[in-house]
Amino acid sequence: MMRAGAVLAVMLTAPAALPWVAPSAAQARDCGVDLTVQPAATAGLLDITLDAPCAPGQMATIFHDALSFQSVLDNEGHLGAQIPALAREALVMVSLPDGTSALAQTSADSGPPLTLLLPENAAASLFSIPESTPIGQAGFYWSGAQPVQIRVDEALCGQELLASVLSVDGDHQTTLRPLQVALPACDAAEGLTVSLSLGG
């Protein structure tokens, strides 16, 4: 069980159903949407590769178990990402803005316990986590119990920080918890950094 410093509300929630839309045969043939998922060289991680030449520069949404995040395809419609495996039989879905989707599955290797932080109302760039790895533009994952530092900006001061903390153990068992933290008022927040401990 994880410890959380400055956590005001913690409760277990279930992942939402995936809004999967099957690609049409014409879309798959003309645009050549191709998704591959395979175990990464580092145990417990997955390598995701998406090629969608008809969607250069578009925002793709990636779904895997309780995890969802967005990332931008490059100018050739290519996207590469690495994420933690949250299930032994790892199912990954990618959805494009036009409704085209692709689905892929692989058997995942066991790995070390990981912590994932997914901010809901703050830019991921405001967070500093030692030895963490970004997940798209949405959050981070890391191993161990390092502290999380939040740089409080004008948009966050005096507000509640909302985030999801997702933990996965070596047997792919996951726990998803909402995180709420009251941030300092704006008259005291200039240049301030708030530190949290999300594990131990």
Side-chain angles (χ1 to χ4, degrees), residues 117-195:
L117 178 66
L118 305 169
E120 296 175 12
N121 65 336
S125 60
L126 296 176
F127 291 76
S128 176
I129 306 173
E131 300 181 13
S132 64
T133 301
I135 300 175
Q137 301 173 336
F140 309 89
Y141 67 85
W142 70 96
S143 179
Q146 296 91 343
V148 175
Q149 291 189 329
I150 308 161
R151 189 173 72 254
V152 183
D153 66 2
E154 293 181 356
L156 280 180
C157 61
Q159 306 294 317
E160 281 192 331
L161 170 71
L162 303 177
S164 295
V165 179
L166 181 62
S167 61
V168 54
D169 66 17
D171 293 322
H172 302 104
Q173 298 298 310
T174 59
T175 303
L176 179 64
R177 300 179 179 91
L179 174 68
Q180 291 180 272
V181 179
L183 297 175
C186 294
D187 58 0
E190 184 175 356
L192 186 65
T193 299
V194 174
S195 295

Side-chain angles (χ1 to χ4, degrees), residues 6-119:
V7 178
L8 302 184
V10 175
M11 58 183 287
L12 186 64
T13 61
L18 300 182
W20 184 67
V21 179
S24 69
Q27 286 174 321
R29 181 180 65 251
D30 297 340
C31 292
V33 177
D34 183 37
L35 173 67
T36 60
V37 179
Q38 60 186 9
T42 301
L45 302 180
L46 301 173
D47 283 331
I48 300 172
T49 303
L50 175 68
D51 287 294
C54 289
Q58 296 293 308
M59 184 76 75
T61 304
I62 295 94
F63 301 90
H64 168 51
D65 200 82
L67 174 65
S68 66
F69 65 96
Q70 292 185 318
S71 193
V72 178
L73 282 73
D74 66 16
N75 291 335
E76 297 181 352
H78 175 81
L79 171 65
Q82 191 172 84
I83 63 172
L86 304 184
R88 190 170 300 280
E89 293 302 317
L91 184 67
V92 175
M93 190 271 281
V94 175
S95 178
L96 300 178
D98 67 357
T100 303
S101 299
L103 195 66
Q105 186 172 4
T106 190
S107 295
D109 298 326
S110 297
L114 295 174
T115 300
L116 293 83
L117 178 66
L118 305 169

